[in-house]
mmCIF file of all heavy atoms in Angstrom:
data_model
loop_
_atom_site.group_PDB
_atom_site.id
_atom_site.type_symbol
_atom_site.label_atom_id
_atom_site.label_comp_id
_atom_site.label_asym_id
_atom_site.label_seq_id
_atom_site.Cartn_x
_atom_site.Cartn_y
_atom_site.Cartn_z
ATOM 1 N N LEU A 7 104.177 83.233 103.768
ATOM 2 C CA LEU A 7 103.553 84.363 103.086
ATOM 3 C C LEU A 7 102.989 83.884 101.763
ATOM 4 O O LEU A 7 103.733 83.627 100.814
ATOM 5 C CB LEU A 7 104.558 85.486 102.843
ATOM 6 C CG LEU A 7 105.046 86.273 104.051
ATOM 7 C CD1 LEU A 7 106.148 85.522 104.797
ATOM 8 C CD2 LEU A 7 105.582 87.634 103.626
ATOM 9 N N ALA A 8 101.678 83.733 101.694
ATOM 10 C CA ALA A 8 101.008 83.356 100.459
ATOM 11 C C ALA A 8 100.645 84.638 99.708
ATOM 12 O O ALA A 8 99.816 85.429 100.177
ATOM 13 C CB ALA A 8 99.761 82.536 100.747
ATOM 14 N N VAL A 9 101.274 84.857 98.572
ATOM 15 C CA VAL A 9 101.044 86.071 97.782
ATOM 16 C C VAL A 9 100.040 85.744 96.694
ATOM 17 O O VAL A 9 100.365 85.083 95.702
ATOM 18 C CB VAL A 9 102.356 86.606 97.180
ATOM 19 C CG1 VAL A 9 102.090 87.922 96.456
ATOM 20 C CG2 VAL A 9 103.412 86.786 98.259
ATOM 21 N N ASP A 10 98.794 86.179 96.878
ATOM 22 C CA ASP A 10 97.732 85.937 95.904
ATOM 23 C C ASP A 10 97.883 86.943 94.766
ATOM 24 O O ASP A 10 97.604 88.131 94.922
ATOM 25 C CB ASP A 10 96.372 86.084 96.587
ATOM 26 C CG ASP A 10 95.214 85.868 95.620
ATOM 27 O OD1 ASP A 10 95.468 85.450 94.472
ATOM 28 O OD2 ASP A 10 94.066 86.114 96.012
ATOM 29 N N ASP A 11 98.319 86.448 93.614
ATOM 30 C CA ASP A 11 98.650 87.311 92.479
ATOM 31 C C ASP A 11 97.407 87.618 91.644
ATOM 32 O O ASP A 11 97.343 87.325 90.457
ATOM 33 C CB ASP A 11 99.727 86.628 91.623
ATOM 34 C CG ASP A 11 100.289 87.540 90.548
ATOM 35 O OD1 ASP A 11 100.117 88.771 90.652
ATOM 36 O OD2 ASP A 11 100.898 87.018 89.596
ATOM 37 N N GLY A 12 96.401 88.215 92.279
ATOM 38 C CA GLY A 12 95.197 88.618 91.560
ATOM 39 C C GLY A 12 94.363 87.455 91.078
ATOM 40 O O GLY A 12 93.828 87.495 89.956
ATOM 41 N N SER A 13 94.217 86.416 91.890
ATOM 42 C CA SER A 13 93.451 85.228 91.484
ATOM 43 C C SER A 13 91.997 85.578 91.203
ATOM 44 O O SER A 13 91.406 86.434 91.872
ATOM 45 C CB SER A 13 93.518 84.158 92.571
ATOM 46 O OG SER A 13 94.844 83.693 92.754
ATOM 47 N N ARG A 14 91.425 84.867 90.229
ATOM 48 C CA ARG A 14 90.029 85.116 89.840
ATOM 49 C C ARG A 14 89.114 83.938 90.183
ATOM 50 O O ARG A 14 87.944 83.938 89.818
ATOM 51 C CB ARG A 14 89.963 85.417 88.339
ATOM 52 C CG ARG A 14 90.679 86.701 87.948
ATOM 53 C CD ARG A 14 90.515 87.000 86.480
ATOM 54 N NE ARG A 14 91.279 86.081 85.656
ATOM 55 C CZ ARG A 14 92.545 86.276 85.278
ATOM 56 N NH1 ARG A 14 93.182 87.360 85.702
ATOM 57 N NH2 ARG A 14 93.168 85.401 84.521
ATOM 58 N N ASP A 15 89.658 82.927 90.869
ATOM 59 C CA ASP A 15 88.826 81.812 91.287
ATOM 60 C C ASP A 15 88.595 81.902 92.791
ATOM 61 O O ASP A 15 88.585 83.002 93.353
ATOM 62 C CB ASP A 15 89.475 80.483 90.877
ATOM 63 C CG ASP A 15 90.835 80.283 91.546
ATOM 64 O OD1 ASP A 15 91.289 81.196 92.280
ATOM 65 O OD2 ASP A 15 91.446 79.219 91.333
ATOM 66 N N ALA A 16 88.415 80.774 93.456
ATOM 67 C CA ALA A 16 88.123 80.770 94.885
ATOM 68 C C ALA A 16 89.386 80.795 95.750
ATOM 69 O O ALA A 16 89.299 80.565 96.959
ATOM 70 C CB ALA A 16 87.279 79.548 95.236
ATOM 71 N N THR A 17 90.536 81.094 95.165
ATOM 72 C CA THR A 17 91.791 81.112 95.924
ATOM 73 C C THR A 17 91.728 82.031 97.141
ATOM 74 O O THR A 17 92.153 81.636 98.242
ATOM 75 C CB THR A 17 92.959 81.509 95.006
ATOM 76 O OG1 THR A 17 93.174 80.465 94.053
ATOM 77 C CG2 THR A 17 94.236 81.723 95.794
ATOM 78 N N PRO A 18 91.220 83.281 97.042
ATOM 79 C CA PRO A 18 91.164 84.134 98.242
ATOM 80 C C PRO A 18 90.337 83.518 99.366
ATOM 81 O O PRO A 18 90.724 83.599 100.543
ATOM 82 C CB PRO A 18 90.515 85.425 97.725
ATOM 83 C CG PRO A 18 90.835 85.449 96.264
ATOM 84 C CD PRO A 18 90.791 84.019 95.835
ATOM 85 N N ALA A 19 89.214 82.884 99.039
ATOM 86 C CA ALA A 19 88.390 82.254 100.071
ATOM 87 C C ALA A 19 89.107 81.075 100.706
ATOM 88 O O ALA A 19 89.030 80.859 101.925
ATOM 89 C CB ALA A 19 87.054 81.811 99.470
ATOM 90 N N VAL A 20 89.815 80.283 99.898
ATOM 91 C CA VAL A 20 90.556 79.138 100.436
ATOM 92 C C VAL A 20 91.651 79.617 101.373
ATOM 93 O O VAL A 20 91.862 79.059 102.461
ATOM 94 C CB VAL A 20 91.142 78.298 99.284
ATOM 95 C CG1 VAL A 20 92.043 77.198 99.835
ATOM 96 C CG2 VAL A 20 90.029 77.697 98.440
ATOM 97 N N LEU A 21 92.367 80.669 100.988
ATOM 98 C CA LEU A 21 93.422 81.209 101.842
ATOM 99 C C LEU A 21 92.850 81.756 103.151
ATOM 100 O O LEU A 21 93.442 81.571 104.231
ATOM 101 C CB LEU A 21 94.190 82.313 101.106
ATOM 102 C CG LEU A 21 95.116 81.848 99.976
ATOM 103 C CD1 LEU A 21 95.666 83.058 99.216
ATOM 104 C CD2 LEU A 21 96.266 81.011 100.523
ATOM 105 N N ALA A 22 91.697 82.427 103.068
ATOM 106 C CA ALA A 22 91.072 82.952 104.284
ATOM 107 C C ALA A 22 90.687 81.824 105.228
ATOM 108 O O ALA A 22 90.855 81.922 106.457
ATOM 109 C CB ALA A 22 89.845 83.787 103.914
ATOM 110 N N ALA A 23 90.179 80.719 104.676
ATOM 111 C CA ALA A 23 89.827 79.577 105.513
ATOM 112 C C ALA A 23 91.066 78.945 106.130
ATOM 113 O O ALA A 23 91.050 78.524 107.299
ATOM 114 C CB ALA A 23 89.060 78.553 104.684
ATOM 115 N N MET A 24 92.150 78.877 105.391
ATOM 116 C CA MET A 24 93.383 78.294 105.908
ATOM 117 C C MET A 24 93.971 79.129 107.039
ATOM 118 O O MET A 24 94.531 78.591 107.996
ATOM 119 C CB MET A 24 94.407 78.158 104.772
ATOM 120 C CG MET A 24 94.065 77.091 103.744
ATOM 121 S SD MET A 24 95.089 77.175 102.251
ATOM 122 C CE MET A 24 96.735 77.039 102.941
ATOM 123 N N ARG A 25 93.796 80.432 106.956
ATOM 124 C CA ARG A 25 94.353 81.319 107.984
ATOM 125 C C ARG A 25 93.697 81.112 109.346
ATOM 126 O O ARG A 25 94.326 81.343 110.385
ATOM 127 C CB ARG A 25 94.172 82.786 107.578
ATOM 128 C CG ARG A 25 95.236 83.332 106.637
ATOM 129 C CD ARG A 25 95.241 84.850 106.675
ATOM 130 N NE ARG A 25 95.730 85.336 107.953
ATOM 131 C CZ ARG A 25 95.149 86.279 108.695
ATOM 132 N NH1 ARG A 25 94.002 86.804 108.301
ATOM 133 N NH2 ARG A 25 95.681 86.673 109.819
ATOM 134 N N ARG A 26 92.461 80.675 109.354
ATOM 135 C CA ARG A 26 91.727 80.562 110.610
ATOM 136 C C ARG A 26 92.338 79.519 111.548
ATOM 137 O O ARG A 26 92.237 79.651 112.771
ATOM 138 C CB ARG A 26 90.257 80.234 110.326
ATOM 139 C CG ARG A 26 89.466 81.439 109.822
ATOM 140 C CD ARG A 26 87.975 81.201 109.905
ATOM 141 N NE ARG A 26 87.522 80.294 108.860
ATOM 142 C CZ ARG A 26 87.091 80.695 107.665
ATOM 143 N NH1 ARG A 26 87.076 81.990 107.378
ATOM 144 N NH2 ARG A 26 86.689 79.807 106.762
ATOM 145 N N ASP A 27 92.953 78.477 110.984
ATOM 146 C CA ASP A 27 93.556 77.462 111.856
ATOM 147 C C ASP A 27 95.054 77.287 111.601
ATOM 148 O O ASP A 27 95.638 76.280 111.985
ATOM 149 C CB ASP A 27 92.843 76.119 111.697
ATOM 150 C CG ASP A 27 92.923 75.577 110.281
ATOM 151 O OD1 ASP A 27 93.449 76.285 109.410
ATOM 152 O OD2 ASP A 27 92.476 74.438 110.062
ATOM 153 N N TRP A 28 95.648 78.253 110.931
ATOM 154 C CA TRP A 28 97.096 78.214 110.712
ATOM 155 C C TRP A 28 97.645 79.609 111.024
ATOM 156 O O TRP A 28 97.781 80.452 110.153
ATOM 157 C CB TRP A 28 97.411 77.821 109.270
ATOM 158 C CG TRP A 28 98.847 77.466 109.040
ATOM 159 C CD1 TRP A 28 99.846 77.412 109.956
ATOM 160 C CD2 TRP A 28 99.438 77.106 107.784
ATOM 161 N NE1 TRP A 28 101.021 77.045 109.369
ATOM 162 C CE2 TRP A 28 100.803 76.846 108.039
ATOM 163 C CE3 TRP A 28 98.953 76.973 106.486
ATOM 164 C CZ2 TRP A 28 101.684 76.476 107.015
ATOM 165 C CZ3 TRP A 28 99.823 76.598 105.476
ATOM 166 C CH2 TRP A 28 101.175 76.357 105.741
ATOM 167 N N PRO A 29 97.983 79.886 112.276
ATOM 168 C CA PRO A 29 98.377 81.241 112.678
ATOM 169 C C PRO A 29 99.648 81.736 112.001
ATOM 170 O O PRO A 29 99.869 82.953 111.910
ATOM 171 C CB PRO A 29 98.569 81.110 114.197
ATOM 172 C CG PRO A 29 98.778 79.653 114.448
ATOM 173 C CD PRO A 29 97.980 78.938 113.407
ATOM 174 N N GLN A 30 100.500 80.837 111.531
ATOM 175 C CA GLN A 30 101.746 81.262 110.879
ATOM 176 C C GLN A 30 101.543 81.697 109.434
ATOM 177 O O GLN A 30 102.479 82.182 108.794
ATOM 178 C CB GLN A 30 102.784 80.125 110.912
ATOM 179 C CG GLN A 30 103.309 79.799 112.289
ATOM 180 C CD GLN A 30 102.453 78.748 112.990
ATOM 181 O OE1 GLN A 30 101.382 78.386 112.492
ATOM 182 N NE2 GLN A 30 102.911 78.255 114.130
ATOM 183 N N LEU A 31 100.331 81.521 108.923
ATOM 184 C CA LEU A 31 100.061 81.881 107.535
ATOM 185 C C LEU A 31 99.699 83.355 107.420
ATOM 186 O O LEU A 31 98.815 83.846 108.123
ATOM 187 C CB LEU A 31 98.923 81.028 106.975
ATOM 188 C CG LEU A 31 98.481 81.351 105.538
ATOM 189 C CD1 LEU A 31 99.602 81.094 104.552
ATOM 190 C CD2 LEU A 31 97.232 80.563 105.167
ATOM 191 N N ARG A 32 100.400 84.061 106.553
ATOM 192 C CA ARG A 32 100.062 85.439 106.200
ATOM 193 C C ARG A 32 99.611 85.465 104.744
ATOM 194 O O ARG A 32 100.163 84.756 103.907
ATOM 195 C CB ARG A 32 101.266 86.372 106.374
ATOM 196 C CG ARG A 32 101.717 86.575 107.798
ATOM 197 C CD ARG A 32 103.006 87.370 107.856
ATOM 198 N NE ARG A 32 102.897 88.616 107.114
ATOM 199 C CZ ARG A 32 103.961 89.392 106.825
ATOM 200 N NH1 ARG A 32 105.167 89.014 107.183
ATOM 201 N NH2 ARG A 32 103.787 90.519 106.169
ATOM 202 N N VAL A 33 98.625 86.284 104.457
ATOM 203 C CA VAL A 33 98.097 86.386 103.097
ATOM 204 C C VAL A 33 98.332 87.799 102.583
ATOM 205 O O VAL A 33 97.947 88.775 103.234
ATOM 206 C CB VAL A 33 96.595 86.038 103.047
ATOM 207 C CG1 VAL A 33 96.066 86.216 101.617
ATOM 208 C CG2 VAL A 33 96.361 84.622 103.524
ATOM 209 N N ILE A 34 98.978 87.894 101.448
ATOM 210 C CA ILE A 34 99.182 89.177 100.762
ATOM 211 C C ILE A 34 98.451 89.090 99.435
ATOM 212 O O ILE A 34 98.708 88.180 98.636
ATOM 213 C CB ILE A 34 100.681 89.449 100.529
ATOM 214 C CG1 ILE A 34 101.423 89.496 101.866
ATOM 215 C CG2 ILE A 34 100.886 90.738 99.756
ATOM 216 C CD1 ILE A 34 102.921 89.502 101.726
ATOM 217 N N ARG A 35 97.511 89.980 99.225
ATOM 218 C CA ARG A 35 96.689 89.918 98.022
ATOM 219 C C ARG A 35 97.021 91.101 97.117
ATOM 220 O O ARG A 35 96.928 92.260 97.534
ATOM 221 C CB ARG A 35 95.208 89.924 98.389
ATOM 222 C CG ARG A 35 94.279 89.636 97.218
ATOM 223 C CD ARG A 35 92.840 89.528 97.708
ATOM 224 N NE ARG A 35 92.747 88.543 98.790
ATOM 225 C CZ ARG A 35 91.974 88.699 99.855
ATOM 226 N NH1 ARG A 35 91.253 89.788 99.999
ATOM 227 N NH2 ARG A 35 91.931 87.751 100.773
ATOM 228 N N LEU A 36 97.420 90.817 95.891
ATOM 229 C CA LEU A 36 97.701 91.861 94.912
ATOM 230 C C LEU A 36 96.420 92.223 94.177
ATOM 231 O O LEU A 36 95.587 91.365 93.884
ATOM 232 C CB LEU A 36 98.768 91.401 93.919
ATOM 233 C CG LEU A 36 100.076 90.883 94.528
ATOM 234 C CD1 LEU A 36 101.111 90.652 93.419
ATOM 235 C CD2 LEU A 36 100.627 91.843 95.573
ATOM 236 N N ARG A 37 96.265 93.494 93.893
ATOM 237 C CA ARG A 37 95.018 93.969 93.295
ATOM 238 C C ARG A 37 94.802 93.409 91.896
ATOM 239 O O ARG A 37 93.664 93.200 91.462
ATOM 240 C CB ARG A 37 95.012 95.501 93.261
ATOM 241 C CG ARG A 37 93.699 96.099 92.782
ATOM 242 C CD ARG A 37 93.667 97.597 92.988
ATOM 243 N NE ARG A 37 93.692 97.947 94.413
ATOM 244 C CZ ARG A 37 92.629 97.960 95.198
ATOM 245 N NH1 ARG A 37 91.452 97.608 94.715
ATOM 246 N NH2 ARG A 37 92.728 98.305 96.452
ATOM 247 N N ARG A 38 95.876 93.163 91.165
ATOM 248 C CA ARG A 38 95.767 92.623 89.813
ATOM 249 C C ARG A 38 96.864 91.600 89.606
ATOM 250 O O ARG A 38 97.817 91.532 90.373
ATOM 251 C CB ARG A 38 95.892 93.736 88.759
ATOM 252 C CG ARG A 38 97.194 94.516 88.868
ATOM 253 C CD ARG A 38 97.308 95.596 87.818
ATOM 254 N NE ARG A 38 98.511 96.398 88.003
ATOM 255 C CZ ARG A 38 99.708 96.039 87.582
ATOM 256 N NH1 ARG A 38 99.883 94.886 86.958
ATOM 257 N NH2 ARG A 38 100.750 96.827 87.775
ATOM 258 N N ASN A 39 96.726 90.817 88.560
ATOM 259 C CA ASN A 39 97.755 89.838 88.240
ATOM 260 C C ASN A 39 99.002 90.562 87.751
ATOM 261 O O ASN A 39 98.988 91.214 86.716
ATOM 262 C CB ASN A 39 97.243 88.870 87.170
ATOM 263 C CG ASN A 39 98.265 87.820 86.811
ATOM 264 O OD1 ASN A 39 98.713 87.752 85.672
ATOM 265 N ND2 ASN A 39 98.650 86.988 87.758
ATOM 266 N N SER A 40 100.085 90.447 88.519
ATOM 267 C CA SER A 40 101.315 91.175 88.213
ATOM 268 C C SER A 40 102.442 90.275 87.739
ATOM 269 O O SER A 40 103.508 90.766 87.399
ATOM 270 C CB SER A 40 101.780 91.952 89.457
ATOM 271 O OG SER A 40 100.784 92.846 89.904
ATOM 272 N N GLY A 41 102.230 88.977 87.738
ATOM 273 C CA GLY A 41 103.270 88.071 87.279
ATOM 274 C C GLY A 41 103.998 87.395 88.434
ATOM 275 O O GLY A 41 104.068 87.922 89.551
ATOM 276 N N HIS A 42 104.549 86.233 88.139
ATOM 277 C CA HIS A 42 105.192 85.408 89.153
ATOM 278 C C HIS A 42 106.360 86.119 89.832
ATOM 279 O O HIS A 42 106.475 86.096 91.064
ATOM 280 C CB HIS A 42 105.670 84.108 88.490
ATOM 281 C CG HIS A 42 106.293 83.137 89.433
ATOM 282 N ND1 HIS A 42 107.655 83.110 89.681
ATOM 283 C CD2 HIS A 42 105.757 82.150 90.190
ATOM 284 C CE1 HIS A 42 107.926 82.151 90.552
ATOM 285 N NE2 HIS A 42 106.795 81.558 90.876
ATOM 286 N N GLN A 43 107.219 86.767 89.044
ATOM 287 C CA GLN A 43 108.394 87.411 89.628
ATOM 288 C C GLN A 43 108.006 88.601 90.503
ATOM 289 O O GLN A 43 108.611 88.832 91.564
ATOM 290 C CB GLN A 43 109.346 87.863 88.520
ATOM 291 C CG GLN A 43 109.886 86.730 87.675
ATOM 292 C CD GLN A 43 110.728 85.749 88.466
ATOM 293 O OE1 GLN A 43 111.780 86.089 88.985
ATOM 294 N NE2 GLN A 43 110.252 84.517 88.572
ATOM 295 N N ASN A 44 106.999 89.351 90.112
ATOM 296 C CA ASN A 44 106.555 90.473 90.934
ATOM 297 C C ASN A 44 105.848 89.993 92.202
ATOM 298 O O ASN A 44 105.915 90.650 93.244
ATOM 299 C CB ASN A 44 105.632 91.390 90.129
ATOM 300 C CG ASN A 44 106.383 92.194 89.096
ATOM 301 O OD1 ASN A 44 107.536 92.570 89.300
ATOM 302 N ND2 ASN A 44 105.754 92.455 87.970
ATOM 303 N N ALA A 45 105.158 88.861 92.118
ATOM 304 C CA ALA A 45 104.578 88.281 93.327
ATOM 305 C C ALA A 45 105.676 87.866 94.298
ATOM 306 O O ALA A 45 105.556 88.062 95.523
ATOM 307 C CB ALA A 45 103.697 87.091 92.965
ATOM 308 N N LEU A 46 106.760 87.309 93.767
ATOM 309 C CA LEU A 46 107.909 87.003 94.611
ATOM 310 C C LEU A 46 108.473 88.266 95.249
ATOM 311 O O LEU A 46 108.847 88.278 96.430
ATOM 312 C CB LEU A 46 109.000 86.325 93.779
ATOM 313 C CG LEU A 46 108.926 84.811 93.606
ATOM 314 C CD1 LEU A 46 110.067 84.345 92.703
ATOM 315 C CD2 LEU A 46 108.982 84.100 94.943
ATOM 316 N N THR A 47 108.530 89.345 94.486
ATOM 317 C CA THR A 47 109.028 90.613 95.009
ATOM 318 C C THR A 47 108.181 91.090 96.178
ATOM 319 O O THR A 47 108.706 91.519 97.213
ATOM 320 C CB THR A 47 109.031 91.688 93.904
ATOM 321 O OG1 THR A 47 109.853 91.252 92.825
ATOM 322 C CG2 THR A 47 109.566 93.007 94.429
ATOM 323 N N ALA A 48 106.861 91.010 96.031
ATOM 324 C CA ALA A 48 105.970 91.420 97.116
ATOM 325 C C ALA A 48 106.229 90.605 98.368
ATOM 326 O O ALA A 48 106.241 91.136 99.489
ATOM 327 C CB ALA A 48 104.512 91.273 96.676
ATOM 328 N N GLY A 49 106.455 89.307 98.211
ATOM 329 C CA GLY A 49 106.723 88.470 99.367
ATOM 330 C C GLY A 49 108.071 88.748 99.993
ATOM 331 O O GLY A 49 108.196 88.801 101.228
ATOM 332 N N LEU A 50 109.102 88.943 99.174
ATOM 333 C CA LEU A 50 110.437 89.215 99.706
ATOM 334 C C LEU A 50 110.469 90.523 100.482
ATOM 335 O O LEU A 50 111.148 90.640 101.512
ATOM 336 C CB LEU A 50 111.458 89.247 98.567
ATOM 337 C CG LEU A 50 111.771 87.914 97.892
ATOM 338 C CD1 LEU A 50 112.714 88.127 96.710
ATOM 339 C CD2 LEU A 50 112.387 86.939 98.887
ATOM 340 N N HIS A 51 109.752 91.532 100.000
ATOM 341 C CA HIS A 51 109.727 92.822 100.691
ATOM 342 C C HIS A 51 109.060 92.718 102.056
ATOM 343 O O HIS A 51 109.343 93.526 102.947
ATOM 344 C CB HIS A 51 108.991 93.861 99.836
ATOM 345 C CG HIS A 51 109.859 94.539 98.833
ATOM 346 N ND1 HIS A 51 110.786 95.500 99.162
ATOM 347 C CD2 HIS A 51 109.946 94.398 97.487
ATOM 348 C CE1 HIS A 51 111.401 95.927 98.071
ATOM 349 N NE2 HIS A 51 110.910 95.273 97.040
ATOM 350 N N ARG A 52 108.174 91.762 102.227
ATOM 351 C CA ARG A 52 107.410 91.667 103.467
ATOM 352 C C ARG A 52 107.831 90.503 104.366
ATOM 353 O O ARG A 52 107.330 90.378 105.472
ATOM 354 C CB ARG A 52 105.916 91.548 103.131
ATOM 355 C CG ARG A 52 105.359 92.880 102.669
ATOM 356 C CD ARG A 52 104.074 92.738 101.875
ATOM 357 N NE ARG A 52 103.560 94.073 101.573
ATOM 358 C CZ ARG A 52 104.059 94.864 100.628
ATOM 359 N NH1 ARG A 52 105.069 94.453 99.878
ATOM 360 N NH2 ARG A 52 103.555 96.071 100.423
#
C-alpha cells in the first residue's frame, strides 16, 4: 500500500505506471499533505 501523502511532483504518475505491471501494488492518494504519521494511519486502516 503506497500512501501518496499529497505529493506535488510526478509521484502520482510514477505510482500509476508501477501499478500497471505490479498487481500487488495498491495506491492510496491523500488529497493534501497530512504528515507521515497520518499517512501511516491511512495505510493501517486499509
Side-chain angles (χ1 to χ4, degrees):
L7 290 81
V9 184
D10 179 8
D11 189 18
S13 296
R14 295 184 289 271
D15 62 357
T17 292
V20 174
L21 288 172
M24 290 168 57
R25 277 199 69 228
R26 284 195 285 269
D27 61 355
W28 193 3
Q30 292 89 352
L31 177 63
R32 293 173 53 191
V33 178
I34 300 169
R35 189 174 306 141
L36 307 188
R37 186 170 295 278
R38 57 179 176 82
N39 181 242
S40 302
H42 183 268
Q43 298 297 296
N44 287 327
L46 274 178
T47 301
L50 290 175
H51 274 286
R52 286 160 175 77

